[in-house]
């Protein structure tokens, strides 16, 4: 059974750096062809794809956010970490990690609020 | 980046209606790497269709996807009560960043 779970702070202040961890089970990110993404969704708004990391450590980022994002993986711990710098209230959203393409397995999401 | 323009943004329909949602890509999507997701309030998205027209395992056959050039369509042949939700297209070109469409909310008429 594949599961993913996001963890991190529920509240961050403007200008701070957000660090989110996705802990997964049921697969290994060292398996060829697999990839894990981060997706966010502001309250009442659309999904926004942020970044992905692949089995071979290839990394791709949203063009509009790439200067603020860093994604990494720890295969031994079955974790993927996303950092986002210079947080702003408009970054308030539910952040999901997901194994996608192939497959589709999502975490429950974590609501991150940016407020002073 | 490939931009996805989804329409309509909201759709009002009745149970039993045939529903069509369209997604237009700003450029050609190689290998039909286009997916459709369904999302209900408070839930993570659920994959319905991948490779533009392949039905994900366990998804009812009333859902179908098609492709014509840069235009992609999700069709629900006979809308059921469980289908009232928001639908998103997503391109997933394996060599570039991915993007979602803006979403289509299917409401009860």
């Amino acid at each position: 059974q594949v599961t993913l779970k996001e963890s991190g702070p529920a509240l961050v202040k403007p200008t701070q750096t957000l660090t989110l961890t996705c802990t997964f089970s049921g697969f290994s990110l060292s398996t060829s062809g697999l990839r894990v993404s981060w997706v966010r969704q502001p309250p009442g708004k659309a999904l926004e794809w942020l970044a992905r990391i692949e089995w071979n450590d290839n990394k791709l980022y949203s063009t509009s956010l790439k200067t603020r994002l860093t994604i990494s993986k720890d295969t031994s711990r079955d974790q993927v970490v996303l950092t986002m710098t210079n947080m702003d209230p408009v970054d308030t959203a539910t952040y999901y990690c997901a194994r996608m393409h192939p497959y589709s397995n999502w975490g429950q999401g974590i609501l991150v609020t940016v407020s002073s | 980046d490939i931009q996805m323009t989804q329409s309509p943004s909201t759709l009002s329909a009745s149970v039993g209606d045939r529903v069509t949602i369209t997604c237009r890509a700003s450029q050609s999507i190689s290998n039909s790497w286009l997916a459709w997701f369904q999302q209900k309030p408070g839930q993570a998205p659920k994959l319905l269709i991948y490779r533009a027209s392949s039905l994900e395992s366990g998804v009812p056959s009333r859902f179908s996807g098609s492709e014509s050039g840069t235009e992609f369509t999700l069709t629900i042949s006979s809308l059921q009560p469980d289908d009232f939700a928001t639908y998103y297209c997503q391109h997933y070109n394996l060599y570039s960043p991915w993007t979602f469409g803006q979403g289509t909310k299917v409401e009860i008429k």
Side-chain angles (χ1 to χ4, degrees):
Chain A
Q1 182 188 2
V2 171
T3 65
L4 302 94
K5 186 173 184 178
E6 306 86 354
S7 59
L11 179 67
V12 297
K13 295 185 185 323
T15 75
Q16 287 186 335
T17 294
L18 171 68
T19 298
L20 295 174
T21 300
C22 174
T23 302
F24 56 85
S25 64
F27 67 97
S28 172
L29 199 43
S30 61
T31 300
S32 180
L34 296 187
R35 46 186 64 89
V36 170
S37 284
W38 285 93
V39 175
R40 71 177 179 179
Q41 185 171 39
K45 296 189 176 181
L47 300 169
E48 180 181 18
W49 179 85
L50 300 177
R52 74 176 183 268
I53 189 163
E54 305 184 334
W55 80 100
N56 56 3
D57 209 38
N58 190 34
K59 303 163 188 175
L60 287 98
Y61 298 97
S62 162
T63 300
S64 61
L65 292 168
K66 64 188 300 183
T67 60
R68 299 173 54 203
L69 296 173
T70 302
I71 193 169
S72 61
K73 64 180 173 73
D74 184 335
T75 303
S76 64
R77 301 179 69 178
D78 289 338
Q79 291 182 332
V80 171
V81 175
L82 181 76
T83 63
M84 180 180 290
T85 61
N86 194 25
M87 293 292 285
D88 183 271
V90 300
D91 297 313
T92 293
T94 296
Y95 288 76
Y96 295 98
C97 66
R99 182 178 75 153
M100 279 196 285
H101 310 311
Y103 311 111
S104 180
N105 308 98
W106 292 65
Q108 64 191 20
I110 181 171
L111 175 62
V112 177
T113 301
V114 184
S115 175
S116 55
Chain B
D1 293 359
I2 298 176
Q3 304 304 314
M4 306 302 299
T5 303
Q6 193 172 336
S7 61
S9 56
T10 307
L11 187 160
S12 296
S14 302
V15 172
D17 284 353
R18 181 180 181 87
V19 166
T20 299
I21 299 168
T22 298
C23 214
R24 182 169 284 107
S26 59
Q27 58 187 273
S28 176
I29 295 179
S30 54
N31 295 294
S32 303
W33 281 324
L34 187 286
W36 290 96
F37 290 86
Q38 176 194 67
Q39 188 182 32
K40 297 179 179 178
Q43 297 184 16
K46 172 188 174 183
L47 179 66
L48 300 175
I49 301 284
Y50 62 96
R51 294 294 293 273
S53 61
S54 295
L55 193 67
E56 174 72 350
S57 175
V59 173
S61 59
R62 63 181 179 272
F63 291 93
S64 64
S66 63
E67 172 184 5
S68 177
T70 58
E71 187 168 291
F72 298 83
T73 300
L74 173 70
T75 299
I76 309 173
S77 60
S78 178
L79 197 66
Q80 298 302 301
D82 191 49
D83 302 338
F84 291 97
T86 301
Y87 295 84
Y88 295 92
C89 63
Q90 182 207 28
H91 89 82
Y92 59 100
N93 184 324
L94 297 186
Y95 308 106
S96 66
W98 297 345
T99 51
F100 287 94
Q102 306 96 314
T104 295
K105 185 175 183 180
V106 177
E107 298 180 327
I108 300 173
K109 190 172 184 179

